[in-house]
Amino acid sequence: MRSLWFGAALAALLVAGCGEGGKKALTVGFSQIGAESAWRTAETKSIREEAAKRGVDLKFSDAQGDQEKQIAALRSFIAQRVDAIILAPKVEDGWEPVLREAQRARIPVVLVDRGVNVTDDSLYATLIASDFVDEGRRAAEWLVKKMGGKGNIVQLEGTSGSAPANDRKKGFEAVIAKRPEMKIIKSQDGDFARDKGQEVMEAFIRAEGKKIQAVYAHNDDMAIGAIQALDAAGMNPGKDVLVISIDAVRGAFEAMIAGKLNATVECNPLLGPDAFDAVEKVLRGEALPKKMVVKDSFFEQGTAAEDIKTRQY
Ligand code: AHR
């Protein structure tokens, strides 16, 4: 497959020199899932800003949470004969046919943030993403320590079928399964959104009430929604009920400073520089690793007031 992409690269290089300043601007299509969370907005901003910085003509498409719209966007990028495509896929399944179309058109696809299930990994150039299984594991290990190895947890899951929801659940549950006195008493999809996180948490509270001792949310937005539900029920989030989530967006630091969120595992959305480095490399015919893992930190309430000063999103 490298040779096909190299062919496309060569074509791009052959026309280089025709434009102003001797360099032809790259045209890149970016298919984004939507704007369901603060994380997603930060990722979009990072990619847009990096494109502007490098003089890339970015064709941006927001699918508003609809995979079919993402597939249509990819087909439109192919029809426009873009130089490369950046795709943040909503779910893991269902991409093979359209990725084949891109491959036939010799347009390399760089995946950012989430992975896909395909039978042939030559269908994409590389995936730039965090280790979601490890994020779930780290959240669980923190809870094991704080709860002394026993207690009842509820889990707010991300979008069903998405890589982060699948992997964060897997990593978390593998750790908890080794602790017979720790139980996940409820687990449900909150679609990575604040309002849904709140709704699902309200239902958990109606069903389990004071039995709930900890909340694990697959992202900060759902945790913030859950905190609103816990507050409304007089359940003291951050104190009587431990709350941990993933992303480390600004809202999470504000919630930690307010004493309502206990900890957050970072998932870095600033993928623009790496994404365009990958695009440029693949168009030059350079080999790329199949996955590039983004490094993430971990933040707790105690240092949040200091940490927030240097946060970029
Ligand atoms: O795929 C990354 C996840 O998607 C983020 O954790 C979440 O906030 C977003 O919507």
Side-chain angles (χ1 to χ4, degrees):
M1 193 60 254
R2 199 181 145 199
S3 58
L4 280 186
W5 285 336
F6 189 61
L10 210 57
L13 290 174
L14 283 175
V15 279
C18 301
E20 224 178 292
K23 219 174 161 205
K24 177 191 171 269
L26 287 180
T27 302
V28 176
F30 172 38
S31 167
Q32 178 57 291
I33 298 165
E36 75 281 1
S37 63
W39 188 100
R40 185 74 41 210
T41 308
E43 187 199 36
T44 299
K45 186 166 173 267
S46 171
I47 292 194
R48 278 186 185 278
E49 283 178 359
E50 195 60 28
K53 207 158 128 192
R54 297 185 190 214
V56 170
D57 175 14
L58 189 74
K59 311 234 170 272
F60 175 70
S61 166
D62 177 340
Q64 294 162 331
D66 182 346
Q67 185 188 18
E68 289 309 315
K69 285 194 182 140
Q70 285 203 281
I71 293 172
L74 258 54
R75 293 205 163 112
S76 149
F77 296 152
I78 296 168
Q80 293 172 67
R81 306 216 51 79
V82 296
D83 295 309
I85 292 172
I86 299 176
L87 167 65
K90 180 182 178 191
V91 289
E92 293 190 281
D93 293 336
W95 298 101
E96 191 131 349
V98 73
L99 290 180
R100 282 211 183 283
E101 291 167 36
Q103 190 175 67
R104 272 198 296 272
R106 301 180 176 199
I107 299 173
V109 177
V110 168
L111 301 178
V112 286
D113 155 36
R114 301 183 180 180
V116 295
N117 280 330
V118 283
T119 56
D120 171 5
D121 73 3
S122 79
L123 291 173
Y124 60 89
T126 189
L127 161 65
I128 303 164
S130 290
D131 182 341
F132 298 137
V133 175
D134 190 55
E135 290 172 349
R137 210 182 283 135
R138 289 166 87 183
E141 281 161 1
W142 185 89
L143 272 181
V144 168
K145 231 188 272 164
K146 294 290 163 184
M147 299 177 86
K150 54 178 173 209
N152 296 324
I153 307 160
V154 296
Q155 174 173 225
L156 288 161
E157 299 174 29
T159 306
S160 164
S162 70
N166 291 341
D167 292 352
R168 288 172 184 171
K169 183 176 161 82
K170 192 165 142 198
F172 185 82
E173 292 184 355
V175 172
I176 300 301
K178 292 189 192 132
R179 300 285 169 167
E181 291 182 85
M182 287 183 89
K183 300 255 173 303
I184 300 169
I185 54 173
K186 287 273 173 208
S187 190
Q188 204 178 304
D189 184 356
D191 209 14
F192 285 126
R194 193 176 291 208
D195 55 347
K196 291 202 189 136
Q198 181 172 355
E199 243 172 64
V200 174
M201 191 66 216
E202 283 164 358
F204 287 170
I205 294 170
R206 278 196 298 276
E208 304 291 343
K210 295 259 154 57
K211 274 196 255 162
I212 302 168
Q213 293 164 298
V215 177
Y216 163 50
H218 288 191
N219 81 343
D220 292 337
D221 282 79
M222 290 190 295
I224 292 166
I227 286 168
Q228 280 162 1
L230 288 162
D231 267 338
M235 286 176 72
N236 234 342
K239 292 180 185 71
D240 300 341
V241 180
L242 294 175
V243 185
I244 183 163
S245 54
I246 297 173
D247 277 354
V249 296
R250 182 160 293 274
F253 287 88
E254 287 161 0
M256 287 195 284
I257 293 165
K260 310 260 178 196
L261 179 74
N262 298 90
T264 182
V265 183
E266 186 182 40
C267 179
N268 192 337
L270 307 179
L271 304 179
D274 285 348
F276 287 101
D277 279 353
V279 163
E280 287 175 12
K281 279 186 185 160
V282 74
L283 289 176
R284 282 200 298 266
E286 283 178 38
L288 291 172
K290 227 50 236 188
K291 184 167 180 188
M292 300 193 226
V293 181
V294 178
K295 283 216 166 59
D296 296 316
S297 301
F298 187 96
F299 299 94
E300 291 184 79
Q301 231 180 53
T303 56
E306 203 45 42
D307 295 330
I308 198 170
K309 294 179 187 161
T310 53
R311 300 302 292 164
Q312 290 176 60
Y313 57 92

